Amino acid sequence: DTAVSQTPKYLVTQMGNDKSIKCEQNLGHDTMYWYKQDSKKFLKIMFSYNNKELIINETVPNRFSPKSPDKAHLNLHINSLELGDSAVYFCASSQDGNQPQHFGDGTRLSIL
Amino acid sequence: DQQVKQNSPSLSVQEGRISILNCDYTNSMFDYFLWYKKYPAEGPTFLISISSIKDKNEDGRFTVFLNKSAKHLSLHIVPSQPGDSAVYFCAASELNTGNQFYFGTGTSLTVIP
């Protein structure tokens, strides 16, 4: 059973489009995250939610909007995609903010 | 500004020898450190952690050392095995101040059979 699953695994789309990435965890964790790994392999946090409440919102363009319908899901919606959004996006979860995180396998987003 | 740095992008080691991966940090308030292992096309997997009250933590073949005065930690793998070939990320946080973990850029370890 996959603990943290995110879909799709690959996403190729045109500049200007709107897309969503879904994330679900079956670990019963209270905290979920979105990370962006850029071309330099730098893994940087974008958002953190605890029990559906936004905890961390790093300096991310407001074209990126996380949505947490329940504590097992944290989806990422991106409006008006730009070339610089090309990256691998990882979803993660942890029991609380002080525990190691469990990561999904990533979504590779490519903007044409 | 990158608060956690892994200055060696890659490392090659013979099977059976020791692998030493290094990590430096700049924020003296960090008090919890983790190592993750990542295979291609997969997400990072938690490997081992250490809090600032200790200077060493061991789990099987993996040992993490923390030098707070130097703001430096290292991961030792002994003996190294071909299955250890992966990218290793270190991460750091300030406990109880939120859910913010800062990651290094990773070191790609290749263990040669």
Side-chain angles (χ1 to χ4, degrees), chain A residues 9 31 33 35 37 40-43 45 48-50 55-56 58 90 96-101 103-106, chain B residues 2 4 32 34 36 38 41-46 49 89 93-101 103-106:
Chain A
K9 198 169 177 69
T31 309
Y33 312 80
Y35 284 87
Q37 186 180 35
K40 294 180 183 173
K41 306 303 180 188
F42 186 37
L43 196 64
I45 192 164
S48 167
Y49 268 71
N50 184 273
I55 303 297
I56 294 173
E58 285 296 295
F90 288 98
D96 59 48
N98 298 324
Q99 298 296 320
Q101 295 161 13
F103 283 82
D105 286 341
Chain B
Q2 213 174 320
V4 177
Y32 185 49
L34 307 92
Y36 285 84
K38 183 184 180 304
E42 294 183 10
T45 303
F46 169 68
S49 64
F89 291 93
S93 77
E94 199 181 333
L95 282 174
N96 302 316
T97 61
N99 308 335
Q100 180 81 310
F101 280 88
F103 281 78
T105 50

Side-chain angles (χ1 to χ4, degrees), chain B residues 19-103:
Chain B
S19 296
I20 300 176
L21 297 102
N22 294 305
C23 179
D24 297 294
Y25 59 96
T26 57
N27 188 341
S28 58
M29 300 301 291
F30 287 151
D31 53 9
Y32 185 49
F33 305 88
L34 307 92
W35 283 94
Y36 285 84
K37 178 178 177 178
K38 183 184 180 304
Y39 292 118
E42 294 183 10
T45 303
F46 169 68
L47 197 56
I48 192 168
S49 64
I50 189 168
S51 74
S52 59
I53 60 172
K54 299 173 108 176
D55 53 20
K56 176 182 172 181
N57 189 25
E58 201 169 341
D59 183 2
R61 295 185 298 113
F62 302 91
T63 303
V64 56
F65 294 92
L66 176 63
N67 183 333
K68 290 183 287 292
S69 60
K71 297 195 191 71
H72 177 84
L73 65 155
S74 61
L75 175 68
H76 292 211
I77 307 172
V78 57
S80 301
Q81 299 174 355
D84 296 330
S85 297
V87 177
Y88 290 79
F89 291 93
C90 69
S93 77
E94 199 181 333
L95 282 174
N96 302 316
T97 61
N99 308 335
Q100 180 81 310
F101 280 88
Y102 296 88
F103 281 78

Side-chain angles (χ1 to χ4, degrees), chain A residues 37-91:
Chain A
Q37 186 180 35
D38 60 22
S39 56
K40 294 180 183 173
K41 306 303 180 188
F42 186 37
L43 196 64
K44 186 167 165 47
I45 192 164
M46 300 173 71
F47 302 102
S48 167
Y49 268 71
N50 184 273
N51 266 320
K52 296 169 52 181
E53 266 191 61
L54 182 64
I55 303 297
I56 294 173
N57 183 359
E58 285 296 295
T59 308
V60 174
N62 58 14
R63 298 182 294 103
F64 290 80
S65 53
K67 293 214 175 6
S68 182
D70 55 61
K71 76 172 196 177
H73 295 83
L74 181 63
N75 303 322
L76 183 65
H77 189 76
I78 317 169
N79 288 329
S80 303
L81 280 157
E82 299 178 357
L83 288 174
D85 298 333
S86 295
V88 182
Y89 292 84
F90 288 98
C91 176

